[in-house]
Structures are given as C-alpha cells and as structure tokens.
C-alpha cells in the first residue's frame, strides 16, 4: 500500500514538472471577475497567479469592474439603464466609470505587489463608440478597434504583468466603457495566447445545471472537464442556445459589457433567478470560447473562482478543475511507438495486479507494439489497447487499459470505437475480445457473449479454463 501511495504522489509530481516544462514562456490571459476581488479568496487567486508567473509563464490580467461601477454610479446618483446586456449611461458618467475601472485594476496591481510581482496598468486599447443602433444611442459603450500588441509584448518581455482596465480610447483620446470579457478574448486572439482563463464565481458546467450530451465525459463530481469545438456546438444545441455563425456580424458578439449582464440572446426569456442568469452567462462564455479557439487561441478554460487552487490545478494537471474548450493537441489516439513501451507497461500494471489483464513483458510489447494504439493526453499516455489479427481473418481487441484518473472522460469508448472502425477498414471477418471482470462495460458498448468454439484456433489454444475468460463479440455487419 505504501509503495502504491508513493507511486501516486510521484505521478502527480511528474505531471506538474511536465506541465511546467510544456508551458514555459506560454502566454496566459486571465479574466478575473470583480466579485472575486471582494471575496476572501482574492489574495489566494493572486498568489496562484503569481506562482504561474514565477514558473515562467507570461500572464495578462483583465479584471471585471461591473460591481465597482455599480457602486460608484449609485453613490453619485447617476442613473443608467440596461439594454440587450449593455449598460447605457450619459457621457457625464464616463469619468466615474473610468475611475471605477482603474480602482479595480489598482487593487489587482497592489495585491500582486504584495507577492513581489511588478504589474503595469496601461492604455493599450483603442476603441470606437458603438453609436446609435436602431434609434438607440449607446452613449459610453465602446467596441474594441485595435490593440497595441507591440507595446504589450514589450511589457511581457520585460517580465511584467499587464493589467487591462475595461476602458478603451478613441484616436482623439475619448474614453469608452468596453467589455472585460470580450477584451480578454480579443487580447488572447491578437497575441496568439496559449490559454485564456475565465475565473468566475460558481461557474460550473455540470449535470446538475445543464443537459450533458452522452458523448461527453463527466468527472466523478459531475462536471464536464473538456469539450472540443464540435462538442461545444452539441452542448449549446441541446441547452437551447442559438449558436452564431462564424460569418455573423462582429457586433453580434458584443453582449457581455460586464460580468453582471445577461447576454442579448437571452433577453427575450424570463430570467428571474440568479441561477438562470448564471446559466445564460456560461452559455455565452462557451460561445465566446468557441470563437476564440476558432481564431487561434489554443485553449479556453472556464473556472469556478469560488474554489481555492482552481488555477494551478487547471494548468498543471491533466484533469484540471474546470471546463476546457480546445481545438486539437489535447487528447488524441495514435499508434503506439517503441519508445512508449515502458509507459504502457506502467499503465497496465494496476490492471495486471487485479487480474483484469494478463501479465506483459517489455519483450512481448516490443514484438506486438504495431498492434497497439495509445491515448495521449498532453504528452502523457493515459490509455492503451490493441487490435490483434489472426490467420482466419478474425481480429481481437486486447490489452485495454485506461488510467483510473481518466475513467470519467470517455476515453475507453473512444478507443474501442477507433478499433472497431479499424477492424472494418481492414475487412475483419469477426471481432471479439476476452474478459474476466469487464463484461458489463463491453456489453454496454454493443458486445455480446459468444462461445469459446468461435475463437480462431490459435487463440483457442491459448485460452485457459483456469482463468475462464468470457468471449464477447461485436457484429460488424450490423454497424
């Protein structure tokens, strides 16, 4: 037991080291919801962000300011209205909005200074007024026109953390209130960020508050750890969200001016509870994440800022703590290579110890590795299986092992589906497997119990009555 515990701890440490090496000099853009700035966890999040910076990552912070803007406008007796998710104010409110935005940014900068991290607040955003649309004057609302990317890159190269208040300036120097959420997206796109984090209180994509497609893996806690762009579309569709066309007008995405607003797509609905507003906001974030990934951002992460440690857990582990949206190069099935042998043996060992798999040796895998596929997750092998051909044209699925930490991610079914398609492509005359403890799992995937007599002669000869493995088959003709 002690050796097993040490092994588990060592694997976690190896994961952290692997991710530090992988993301050294990577650019991370972090949207920090302003509700977190007033929370007890604020300084904990700042400490974690500082640790990211100290491990060699380049960090940009975009703090939301909606709550502070509300407070300052209210205390000054300034009236505003909401329309399609936008705060509409007259021009005299702009100095107060600007003051609130810089106040929040200063709080973030001061907290970073407490961690001995130097940050800079800058006016790197050029904006233009939204103007009058359908007869409505949007007043102080602005849209992002241009980012001074060269200046931002210089700040990053000098080892500082840039902080972006939710203010942009026109060419004539006129300030506008812009969306922090969309600003963080545009920064990530224009600077080709490796990661974009949305750190928001109680942001959770789980089976407790959403309909989850059957194709998505779910963590033991009921949350969705990751979605690719196709899965995002499926998720949005079943949760009654109208997915925008990639060719839609740019203005259609300007619906999250601050963190408290309801997306315009949901303005027609009756949203009477904070829960419904939160759901709507997460659905909008998913669409923003999809647009970011489609425009070159490698990964977007929606994180529950009410959880201490969510940031380092998300970036320094395979399984994270929130929901990651990605395009590619996260999890992939590939053919096994000779250099994978030791990692595959390590992966198989717990299943061998339990009697689920037969023992394998390095020489056995060296002789058979061309039959194997592996599932690689950010450079680490987390699953394996093989497709063994026989002289009578039948094929066997064997050596199926999935890291227990990944069992909730749907990796196993994806690998079996891959092997079934490969068997079909290779015109297999039959597809079978032998199992002692996992028949229910395979039966859920469509396999049915069969007779030992149906096995190829070579495989029948190696079948052991003492082990008593069951034979399961999949009818390829019915697929």
């Amino acid at each position: 037991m002690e050796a097993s515990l040490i092994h588990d701890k060592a694997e976690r440490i190896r994961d952290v080291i692997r991710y530090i090496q992988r993301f050294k000099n990577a650019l991370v853009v972090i949207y920090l919801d302003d509700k977190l700035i007033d929370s007890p966890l604020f300084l904990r999040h700042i400490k974690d962000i500082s640790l990211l910076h100290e491990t060699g990552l380049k960090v940009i912070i975009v703090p939301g300011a909606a709550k502070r803007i509300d407070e300052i406008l209210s205390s000054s007796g300034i009236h505003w209205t909401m329309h399609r998710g936008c705060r509409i104010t007259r021009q005299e409110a702009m100095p107060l909005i600007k003051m609130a935005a810089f106040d929040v940014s200063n709080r973030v900068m001061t907290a970073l200074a407490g961690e001995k991290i130097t940050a800079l607040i800058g006016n790197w955003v050029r904006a233009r007024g939204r103007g009058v649309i359908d007869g409505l004057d949007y007043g102080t609302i602005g849209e992002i026109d241009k980012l001074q990317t060269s200046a931002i890159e210089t700040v990053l190269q000098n080892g500082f953390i840039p902080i972006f208040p939710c203010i942009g300036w026109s060419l004539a120097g006129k300030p506008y209130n812009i969306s922090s959420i969309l600003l963080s997206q545009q920064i990530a796109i224009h600077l080709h960020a490796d990661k974009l984090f949305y750190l928001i209180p109680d942001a959770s994509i789980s089976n407790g508050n959403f309909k989850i497609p059957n194709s998505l893996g779910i963590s033991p806690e009921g949350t969705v750890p990751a979605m690719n762009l196709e899965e995002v579309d499926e998720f949005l569709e079943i949760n009654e969200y109208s997915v925008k066309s990639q060719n839609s007008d740019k203005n259609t995405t300007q619906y999250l001016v601050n963190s408290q607003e309801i997306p315009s797509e949901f303005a027609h609905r009756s949203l009477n509870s904070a829960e419904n507003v939160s759901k709507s906001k997460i659905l909008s974030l998913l669409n923003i994440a999809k647009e970011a990934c489609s425009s070159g951002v490698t990964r977007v992460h929606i994180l529950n800022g009410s959880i201490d440690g969510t940031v380092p857990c998300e970036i320094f582990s395979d399984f994270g703590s929130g929901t990651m949206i990605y395009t590619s190069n996260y999890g992939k099935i590939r053919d096994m290579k000779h250099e994978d042998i030791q990692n595959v043996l390590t992966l198989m060992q717990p299943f061998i110890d339990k009697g689920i798999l037969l023992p394998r040796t390095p020489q056995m895998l060296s002789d058979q590795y061309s039959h194997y596929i592996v599932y690689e997750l950010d450079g680490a092998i987390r699953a394996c299986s093989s497709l063994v051909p026989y002289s009578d044209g039948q094929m066997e699925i064997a050596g199926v092992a999935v890291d227990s930490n990944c069992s909730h991610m749907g990796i196993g079914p994806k690998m079996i589906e891959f092997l079934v398609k490969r068997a079909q492509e290779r015109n297999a005359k039959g597809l079978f497997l032998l199992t002692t403890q996992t028949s229910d799992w395979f039966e859920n995937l469509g396999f049915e119990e069969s007779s030992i007599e149906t096995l190829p002669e070579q495989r029948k000869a190696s079948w052991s009555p003492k082990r008593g493995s069951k034979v399961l088959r999949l009818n390829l003709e019915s697929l």
Side-chain angles (χ1 to χ4, degrees):
M1 179 63 72
E2 183 179 352
S4 175
L5 290 174
I6 292 175
H7 173 267
D8 291 343
K9 290 179 181 178
E11 283 299 299
R12 288 194 292 271
I13 293 170
R14 289 167 184 151
D15 283 343
V16 170
I17 294 172
R18 176 165 55 86
Y19 275 103
I20 289 175
Q21 294 172 334
R22 181 181 181 87
F23 290 117
K24 188 174 183 180
N25 296 319
L27 176 59
V28 181
V29 178
I30 301 174
Y31 166 79
L32 183 63
D33 192 281
D34 60 336
K35 292 178 184 173
L36 293 174
I37 296 173
D38 289 326
S39 79
L41 288 178
F42 172 57
L43 293 180
R44 297 290 294 172
H45 289 313
I46 290 296
K47 180 177 284 293
D48 288 339
I49 292 170
S50 300
L51 289 174
L52 296 189
H53 179 72
E54 290 173 351
T55 57
L57 282 80
K58 298 175 182 177
V59 177
I60 292 175
I61 299 177
V62 185
K67 186 172 180 288
R68 186 61 180 145
I69 292 172
D70 284 349
E71 291 170 353
I72 289 182
L73 292 183
S74 296
S75 64
S76 302
I78 301 294
H79 176 71
W80 73 90
T81 60
M82 301 298 295
H83 178 75
R84 294 181 63 82
C86 298
R87 184 200 305 274
I88 309 297
T89 63
R90 301 184 62 143
Q91 196 59 44
E92 60 263 26
M94 197 60 221
L96 296 175
I97 293 173
K98 187 168 66 170
M99 180 176 69
F102 276 85
D103 181 42
V104 170
S105 293
N106 271 302
R107 288 187 63 185
V108 174
M109 184 172 68
T110 301
L112 288 168
E115 297 294 330
K116 299 181 172 56
I117 302 294
T118 303
L120 294 177
I121 301 171
N123 57 344
W124 301 294
V125 183
R126 193 168 77 192
R128 65 182 184 277
R130 181 174 295 189
V132 180
I133 301 176
D134 296 329
L136 176 68
D137 187 352
Y138 279 79
T140 58
I141 296 296
E143 295 178 356
I144 301 163
D145 195 23
K146 185 178 180 180
L147 297 175
Q148 297 179 26
T149 54
S150 59
I152 301 167
E153 288 169 349
T154 298
V155 172
L156 290 168
Q157 289 167 6
N158 287 330
F160 303 141
I161 293 181
I163 300 174
F164 284 73
C166 57
I167 303 295
W169 283 264
S170 70
L171 284 172
K174 185 177 181 179
Y176 287 101
N177 182 202
I178 57 178
S179 162
S180 296
I181 286 180
L182 290 175
L183 175 58
S184 59
Q185 182 210 48
Q186 290 301 305
I187 293 169
I189 290 172
H190 283 82
L191 294 179
H192 310 290
D194 299 276
K195 289 181 176 290
L196 168 58
F197 284 5
Y198 284 109
L199 191 59
I200 297 171
D202 302 317
S204 176
I205 300 177
S206 69
N207 54 13
N209 52 6
F210 289 103
K211 299 175 183 176
I212 308 298
N214 293 331
S215 59
L216 287 181
I218 300 178
S219 74
E221 295 76 27
T223 61
V224 177
M227 286 188 269
N228 61 34
L229 298 191
E230 293 76 18
E231 290 167 337
V232 170
D233 279 344
E234 185 181 1
F235 183 94
L236 293 173
E237 183 177 355
I238 72 168
N239 284 281
E240 300 179 349
Y241 187 83
S242 178
V243 181
K244 295 185 182 66
S245 165
Q246 291 297 315
N247 298 320
S248 62
D249 184 83
K250 187 177 180 180
N251 288 337
T252 61
T253 62
Q254 304 289 332
Y255 46 73
L256 277 172
V257 174
N258 62 57
S259 63
Q260 292 181 332
E261 293 166 1
I262 302 170
S264 59
E265 285 74 10
F266 295 88
H268 66 283
R269 299 187 186 180
S270 176
L271 297 175
N272 298 317
S273 69
E275 180 184 1
N276 283 335
V277 173
S278 176
K279 286 183 181 180
S280 301
K281 183 174 179 180
I282 288 175
L283 292 171
S284 291
L285 282 175
L286 283 173
N287 196 57
I288 290 171
K290 179 188 170 187
E291 291 174 357
C293 288
S294 298
S295 300
V297 179
T298 307
R299 301 173 187 179
V300 180
H301 305 252
I302 299 174
L303 304 181
N304 184 351
S306 300
I307 299 175
D308 185 16
T310 186
V311 172
C313 282
E314 185 70 11
I315 202 166
F316 291 134
S317 70
D318 286 336
F319 319 114
S321 59
T323 297
M324 180 179 72
I325 314 304
Y326 65 98
T327 50
S328 59
N329 198 30
Y330 170 62
K332 62 181 179 181
I333 295 173
R334 62 168 174 82
D335 290 329
M336 181 176 164
K337 301 174 183 177
H338 196 272
E339 55 264 33
D340 297 326
I341 288 175
Q342 187 55 54
N343 288 329
V344 169
L345 284 172
T346 300
L347 175 68
M348 286 182 166
Q349 194 58 51
F351 298 91
I352 293 171
D353 293 342
K354 294 176 182 178
I356 296 173
L357 292 181
L358 290 169
R360 266 83 167 174
T361 66
Q363 187 59 51
M364 289 171 65
L365 286 188
S366 180
D367 294 340
Q368 302 170 4
Y369 79 91
S370 61
H371 299 324
Y372 277 81
I373 60 171
V374 296
Y375 190 94
E376 185 178 9
L377 193 65
D378 268 345
I381 293 174
R382 297 301 185 186
C384 66
S385 55
S386 66
L387 185 65
V388 183
Y390 290 91
S391 57
D392 67 351
Q394 294 194 69
M395 292 185 176
E396 176 186 9
I397 291 177
V400 179
V402 179
D403 188 317
S404 60
N405 291 314
C406 297
S407 60
H408 61 279
M409 297 179 65
I411 293 173
K414 289 178 181 177
M415 295 193 73
I416 299 303
E417 181 183 3
F418 182 93
L419 291 180
V420 169
K421 289 181 179 178
R422 177 167 284 188
Q424 290 175 311
E425 291 167 357
R426 295 179 179 179
N427 299 314
K429 294 183 179 178
L431 182 65
F432 68 93
L433 58 87
L434 278 77
T435 181
T436 56
Q437 301 176 39
T438 57
S439 57
D440 287 341
W441 188 82
F442 284 108
E443 286 172 359
N444 286 334
L445 298 178
F447 286 80
E448 297 178 351
E449 191 166 348
S450 184
S451 167
I452 302 298
E453 299 305 316
T454 64
L455 294 177
E457 291 302 320
Q458 181 183 354
R459 188 65 181 91
K460 192 188 304 181
S462 64
W463 181 83
S464 167
K466 182 178 179 181
R467 182 170 172 81
S469 299
K470 293 181 178 180
V471 177
L472 298 180
R473 285 189 173 275
L474 186 68
N475 184 354
L476 296 176
E477 294 181 358
S478 65
L479 299 180

